[in-house]
Amino acid sequence: MSVEATKAVSEIKSEFAPLIVAFCCNWCSYAGADLAGTSRLNYTANVRIIRVPCSCRVNPYFVLRAFQRGADGVVIAGCHPGDCHYSTGNYFTRRRFSVFTNLLEYLGIEKDRFKVDWISAAEGNKFASVMNELLEKVHQLGPNRKLRDSRWKR
Amino acid sequence: MHKIGVFVCWCGTNIAGTVNIDEVVKAAAEIPGVVAAQNYQYMCSEVGQKLVKSTIKEQSLDRVVIASCSPRMHEATFRKTAQAAGLNPFLVEIANIREQCSWVHKNKEEGTKKAIALVRAAVAKAAGNTELIPGEIGVEHRALVIGGGIAGIQTALDIADAGYEVDIIEKTPSIGGKMSQIDKTFPTLDCSACILTPKMVDASTHPNITLYTYSEVEKVSGYVGNFEVTMNQKARSVNMEKCSGCGICSSKCPSRTTKSEFDEGLRNRGAIYTPFPQAVPNVPVIDREHCLKFQSGKCGVCEKICPAGAIDYTQEDTKITKKYGAIVVATGYDIISLDKFGEYQYGSHPDVITSLEFERLTNAAGPTGGKFVRPSDHKKPKKVVFVQCVGSRDKSERGKSYCSKICCMYTAKHAMLLGDKYPDIESYVFYIDVRTPGKNFDEFYRRAVEEYGVHYIKGMVGKIFPEGDKLLVHGVDALTGETIKIDADLVVLAAATQAKPDAEALGRKLGISTDMNNFFTEAHPKLRPVETHSAGIYLAGACQGPKDIPETVAQASAAAAKAIVLLSKDKLVNNPCVSEVNENLCSGCLECTHICPYDAISAKELEMNDHGKITKRTVAHVNEALCQGCGGCTVTCRPGALDLKGFTNRQILAEVDAICQ
Ligand code: SF4
Ligand code: SF4
């Protein structure tokens, strides 16, 4: 989805400012975000990045915690399969989270709030579009209320 | 409570333009634990760094957060700054409010809000930072070069000249590689053997170089600076010390059914053979599969005839294990098999040959003594058709999608060589594009067209029909749309180059990756073209992708330079952000050992004294020199016994919490 379209969406639903937590691997996706920055690609401001050495460092618990703390969407981004800096890390990510996605649904968190994607250091554009697309989906779903810890204020 | 200092950088207007710095500073000052919040136009400048240093000292800060550009840019800078102020460098965290914030969000309110959130997360993470001290590992001052072609030879010579020991391991009986099969080289047309053979001799006589020919890598373990490689040296069945290289054995060997690999099958060799007369070492090997003695027990001619008594049928493969600080992979390339290109008649008609066969046919030391004749009837051809891009730039599954890079040039060279020797031979070249981007390449190609009158036809050959003793070549001229029929005497196919069939297996042993075409992948296509993702392992030559000789040699020297930098160090500092086992929590399931790509985790026995009774317990143990800090194991561990220093579970959860505030 284009940046303009995203903006239009965010204007319509201005009362809902979703929060997206992005776990990015240091070597590809974090660098992809940096490239989006140096290329001045204007993507949604609702994304907050947490840098991890490899996408395989992301414990499913971190994702659950983000949802508990009120995140409306979570994305894990790593190097493309075959390109992992640690050679096999992202394969573990892929397997772990394909199982985990089912568990999330079981817990009542819509699949569309969560995404595992591959963004290389050269894909600043992709970084921006993955974030914008997730934002769009989260907008359609509305705020995450299922897992959210009501004692936690945001 | 920690004493955390937050330093917000304006980066001129890069950050300050879209982020309200004052508000960020104000918000930072309110975070529990933050005792100092400062801002400055350019934090990375000398003045900025001074500000950080003096604040650390004056306020006795124990954690530092810099809100600035990407950590990929200046994390190292600020870690040094902190260190200069007496703080452990790993107590520094960066909040990336430029690439992730000011540069991508135009709205100042949104930008400021996000910058505050990022600072909060960085403070939360910093609070969980601990002092980390990088470990030191020694370096074995010896290099291994895998592959003895021109790439491997050049690398080894450069490293050896720098004063370090180098071993070359080569699969075939002699070093020299593909270049030794080539007649002349473009764009200078000098004789390949004349420039290569002296280098082969240099390599074999250099006091710092040891050659292991007829040998293969079997197992690789260890890590940068400390690789341990086991190789298998195949039995030559000839004693290398005793053999004088006279060659009587090969000439008298009655087994003559094997096609010479070196001569591209254009002549046969004995079961005991030296690949070519200038082979290094000049010691034959017995190819046991074709040796009558080994196959049926009858024969033994070579043993009887060898004046030096060097034949030894009882020799066995030997395993050699050695330690190396650096490894250079220089395994080269192959050309594709043409089985699937039936329309060209390769394999079914003897007068359709590959370019490498052409090299042997024009070579004075080749099977015809350099006389250029047709393989079928040994007559001199009058019309020769060259077909370029056979399998190159071919997206179908029988070909390769990439450009093989060398064929345009060697085809021009072949046509010129023919023109020089036999001005009456007519040469035709079918091409898709002529690509000549190297130094003096285009001039070379133009000479073929202008001086030698080689007929270049843009278009592909559709089919070749044998007719009488001719080959009817049917093609289309893509520029005029005309159909073209040429009655050729000989057809030369420029077959695509490809990665060695065992590249992937070798890559697995070394822990380096291959691309979709099985060529080895460099760490970065532009900025780290000779390194691999595995520290201490470098690439040289066509094992990385199609390359010509000048490029190969350049890269070989580059790989050598990289290896020399590594070998010249006495100690390497390793990344302290490694995984750590909490032995109290570890259940000894050893699940973590399966996931680690570097084999960094192993089992360890703990002895426990339980009121005088000694019991044993297995726990996991992380080798800090091997661990690269991916953190994959931490997620695998069910009891949560593993954690990654610098990115601990608590730190990441604290970041999540802070971000979601
Ligand atoms: S996975 Fe955890 S519990 Fe199992 S051996 Fe490894 S560290 Fe110990
Ligand atoms: S962090 Fe990665 S490299 Fe280190 S021990 Fe764990 S799995 Fe192996």
Side-chain angles (χ1 to χ4, degrees):
Chain A
M1 188 175 67
S2 73
V3 175
E4 289 70 31
T6 315
K7 268 203 211 141
V9 171
S10 63
E11 269 153 29
I12 300 162
K13 303 178 186 165
S14 55
E15 70 288 352
F16 170 40
L19 174 69
I20 292 171
V21 176
F23 294 94
C24 292
C25 85
N26 182 44
W27 306 98
C28 291
S29 307
Y30 194 92
D34 275 357
L35 181 63
T38 39
S39 324
R40 311 295 200 278
L41 298 173
N42 194 359
Y43 61 88
T44 167
N46 304 21
V47 176
R48 310 275 190 269
I49 295 178
I50 293 179
R51 182 163 70 126
V52 284
C54 176
S55 61
C56 73
R57 172 66 186 98
V58 182
N59 195 313
Y61 180 46
F62 301 164
V63 178
L64 284 180
R65 176 81 149 227
F67 282 125
Q68 283 175 330
R69 293 305 192 230
D72 303 295
V74 175
V75 53
I76 299 174
C79 311
H80 285 271
D83 282 351
C84 177
H85 180 82
Y86 306 96
S87 65
T88 49
N90 52 9
Y91 293 129
F92 290 107
T93 310
R94 187 164 64 183
R95 262 175 271 161
R96 273 176 197 153
F97 286 99
S98 60
V99 176
F100 177 75
T101 310
N102 297 331
L103 178 69
L104 265 188
E105 274 202 301
Y106 178 76
L107 291 175
I109 294 279
E110 299 87 342
K111 244 199 339 236
D112 278 353
R113 291 190 191 277
F114 175 65
K115 192 167 176 56
V116 177
D117 215 326
W118 318 119
I119 303 169
S120 83
E123 292 175 330
N125 271 314
K126 181 165 181 194
F127 182 88
S129 65
V130 166
M131 298 306 145
N132 285 341
E133 274 159 27
L134 187 65
L135 180 91
E136 161 69 354
K137 287 207 172 124
V138 169
H139 256 304
Q140 279 162 7
L141 292 167
N144 147 37
R145 298 188 201 284
K146 286 278 166 48
L147 263 189
R148 186 185 200 134
D149 185 339
S150 55
R151 291 161 300 180
W152 188 265
K153 295 221 171 51
R154 194 184 106 208
Chain B
M1 190 58 123
H2 288 302
K3 295 177 101 179
I4 304 174
V6 177
F7 300 87
V8 186
C9 180
W10 300 37
C11 197
T13 53
N14 280 310
I15 294 173
T18 24
V19 168
N20 185 329
I21 303 283
D22 289 337
E23 266 187 50
V24 177
V25 173
K26 216 172 99 212
E30 282 165 11
I31 306 173
V34 173
V35 297
Q38 308 264 12
N39 68 95
Y40 185 68
Q41 268 100 336
Y42 294 100
M43 209 53 95
C44 60
S45 69
E46 211 184 314
V47 185
Q49 292 192 49
K50 260 198 196 136
L51 171 78
V52 176
K53 269 188 259 181
S54 59
T55 318
I56 291 177
K57 285 191 192 141
E58 281 157 23
Q59 311 265 341
S60 341
L61 299 179
D62 59 7
R63 298 288 183 280
V64 170
V65 169
I66 315 272
S68 60
C69 53
S70 172
R72 295 168 54 88
M73 184 98 184
H74 273 316
E75 189 173 58
T77 314
F78 291 114
R79 283 192 169 159
K80 270 193 210 132
T81 313
Q83 195 166 25
L87 212 61
N88 180 290
F90 290 90
L91 298 175
V92 175
E93 275 303 319
I94 308 274
N96 181 351
I97 60 167
R98 192 178 75 178
E99 279 83 345
Q100 282 177 22
C101 195
S102 67
W103 272 352
V104 282
H105 310 315
K106 292 220 178 78
N107 178 316
K108 198 154 184 170
E109 198 189 320
E110 275 186 350
T112 308
K113 209 174 113 202
K114 180 166 176 182
I116 292 172
L118 294 178
V119 168
R120 243 192 242 124
V123 170
K125 184 174 181 209
N129 277 353
T130 49
E131 295 193 357
L132 299 179
I133 297 156
E136 281 190 339
I137 43 178
V139 176
E140 196 71 40
H141 301 289
R142 189 185 305 117
L144 174 68
V145 174
I146 307 175
I150 180 62
I153 293 173
Q154 185 64 47
T155 309
L157 284 172
D158 286 345
I159 299 175
D161 283 343
Y164 299 100
E165 274 182 49
V166 196
D167 292 351
I168 298 182
I169 172 162
E170 164 60 44
K171 204 156 64 170
T172 68
S174 167
I175 58 169
K178 286 270 187 302
M179 188 175 167
S180 63
Q181 288 178 278
I182 294 173
D183 186 29
K184 300 236 161 50
T185 55
F186 61 78
T188 46
L189 288 186
D190 37 9
C191 142
S192 184
C194 315
I195 51 179
L196 177 67
T197 335
K199 277 195 186 284
M200 290 164 64
V201 175
D202 284 353
S204 71
T205 52
H206 200 296
N208 282 342
I209 300 182
T210 311
L211 297 183
Y212 293 96
T213 46
Y214 217 35
S215 306
E216 275 181 83
V217 172
E218 198 162 279
K219 196 176 152 234
V220 182
S221 60
Y223 43 91
V224 55
N226 298 274
F227 295 106
E228 194 173 286
V229 178
T230 305
M231 49 188 141
N232 181 36
Q233 192 165 35
K234 282 206 281 176
R236 274 186 119 86
S237 316
V238 177
N239 184 319
M240 291 189 85
E241 261 82 70
K242 290 188 186 163
C243 171
S244 68
C246 69
I248 291 191
C249 51
S250 330
S251 63
K252 291 283 161 17
C253 174
S255 163
R256 285 278 150 201
T257 50
T258 321
K259 302 234 173 275
S260 155
E261 295 83 359
F262 184 79
D263 277 321
E264 291 295 311
L266 291 169
R267 82 167 137 203
N268 286 359
R269 60 158 170 84
I272 184 165
Y273 71 104
T274 325
F276 53 105
Q278 301 79 19
V280 170
N282 192 10
V283 175
V285 294
I286 295 183
D287 156 10
R288 295 189 171 180
E289 234 176 275
H290 297 100
C291 168
L292 302 172
K293 175 83 179 172
F294 278 97
Q295 293 307 321
S296 61
K298 298 186 213 95
C299 190
V301 168
C302 49
E303 189 182 29
K304 279 177 222 135
I305 211 170
C306 173
I311 309 294
D312 177 3
Y313 299 125
T314 64
Q315 231 181 41
E316 274 172 28
D317 292 5
T318 26
K319 300 250 186 290
I320 302 164
T321 302
K322 283 175 101 172
K323 293 198 92 182
Y324 301 97
I327 298 178
V328 180
V329 186
T331 47
Y333 69 99
D334 265 342
I335 59 169
I336 59 166
S337 124
L338 295 177
D339 293 353
K340 295 194 185 115
F341 293 82
E343 70 268 36
Y344 297 140
Q345 308 291 339
Y346 181 78
S348 52
H349 198 292
D351 295 335
V352 179
I353 63 173
T354 66
S355 308
L356 212 45
E357 289 167 23
F358 181 95
E359 295 283 349
R360 299 312 303 148
L361 275 182
T362 46
N363 195 305
T368 55
K371 249 181 52 205
F372 189 66
V373 293
R374 310 203 304 177
S376 62
D377 52 9
H378 287 252
K379 279 198 208 133
K380 197 188 91 187
K382 289 188 206 73
K383 257 188 213 168
V384 178
V385 169
F386 293 90
V387 186
Q388 290 192 182
C389 285
V390 176
S392 300
R393 307 171 67 196
D394 176 349
K395 288 207 192 95
S396 72
E397 49 86 44
R398 65 177 191 168
K400 301 284 174 191
S401 61
Y402 50 85
C403 165
S404 294
K405 204 167 182 180
I406 49 177
C407 330
C408 287
M409 285 299 286
Y410 71 58
T411 299
K413 173 190 80 175
H414 289 168
M416 280 155 88
L417 289 179
L418 284 188
D420 273 335
K421 271 194 189 168
Y422 312 102
D424 57 322
I425 292 186
E426 267 187 275
S427 294
Y428 295 84
V429 177
F430 282 90
Y431 69 99
I432 306 182
D433 290 308
V434 174
R435 298 181 164 184
T436 53
K439 182 171 171 175
N440 289 329
F441 281 17
D442 202 53
E443 291 82 341
F444 184 82
Y445 153 67
R446 260 184 282 150
R447 253 173 73 206
V449 179
E450 289 158 16
E451 282 175 37
Y452 289 80
V454 178
H455 308 288
Y456 271 79
I457 303 160
K458 187 175 173 78
M460 278 308 283
V461 168
K463 205 157 169 55
I464 295 172
F465 303 96
E467 201 181 79
D469 66 345
K470 297 266 181 203
L471 288 155
L472 266 191
V473 179
H474 286 224
V476 179
D477 186 327
L479 298 178
T480 62
E482 250 176 86
T483 348
I484 294 184
K485 288 191 190 128
I486 300 172
D487 51 337
D489 302 295
L490 188 81
V491 175
V492 186
L493 306 178
T497 60
Q498 66 176 356
K500 287 273 182 189
D502 51 0
E504 218 187 323
L506 179 66
R508 240 178 279 124
K509 284 180 199 158
L510 290 164
I512 62 175
S513 49
T514 46
D515 63 21
M516 57 192 291
N517 295 312
N518 276 347
F519 289 112
F520 293 117
T521 344
E522 59 285 337
H524 189 283
K526 286 184 274 294
L527 304 178
R528 294 170 68 199
V530 300
E531 287 154 271
T532 65
H533 276 305
S534 292
I537 304 185
Y538 309 100
L539 301 175
C543 64
Q544 187 197 11
K547 274 193 194 80
D548 59 30
I549 297 169
E551 266 185 298
T552 296
V553 172
Q555 198 194 13
S557 289
K562 289 276 175 194
I564 292 165
V565 170
L566 174 59
L567 297 179
S568 68
K569 297 201 170 118
D570 284 326
K571 292 250 179 285
L572 294 175
V573 182
N574 63 0
N575 165 22
C577 294
V578 292
S579 169
E580 174 178 48
V581 181
N582 179 339
E583 292 177 350
N584 294 325
L585 290 181
C586 176
S587 66
C589 67
L590 299 180
E591 276 305 314
C592 50
T593 57
H594 304 307
I595 182 179
C596 178
Y598 305 97
D599 283 336
I601 313 182
S602 54
K604 174 172 132 186
E605 290 282 327
L606 279 190
E607 276 198 2
M608 324 260 290
N609 190 334
D610 185 10
H611 301 282
K613 217 173 83 200
I614 305 285
T615 51
K616 280 201 179 143
R617 192 158 76 84
T618 305
V619 293
H621 173 75
V622 177
N623 179 336
E624 299 205 342
L626 285 178
C627 173
Q628 301 290 309
C630 68
C633 56
T634 60
V635 187
T636 307
C637 180
R638 268 165 280 183
L642 276 161
D643 212 348
L644 187 68
K645 290 191 236 171
F647 293 91
T648 60
N649 291 331
R650 287 183 61 175
Q651 282 181 292
I652 297 177
L653 290 174
E655 275 185 273
V656 170
D657 289 356
I659 271 178
C660 296
Q661 240 169 32

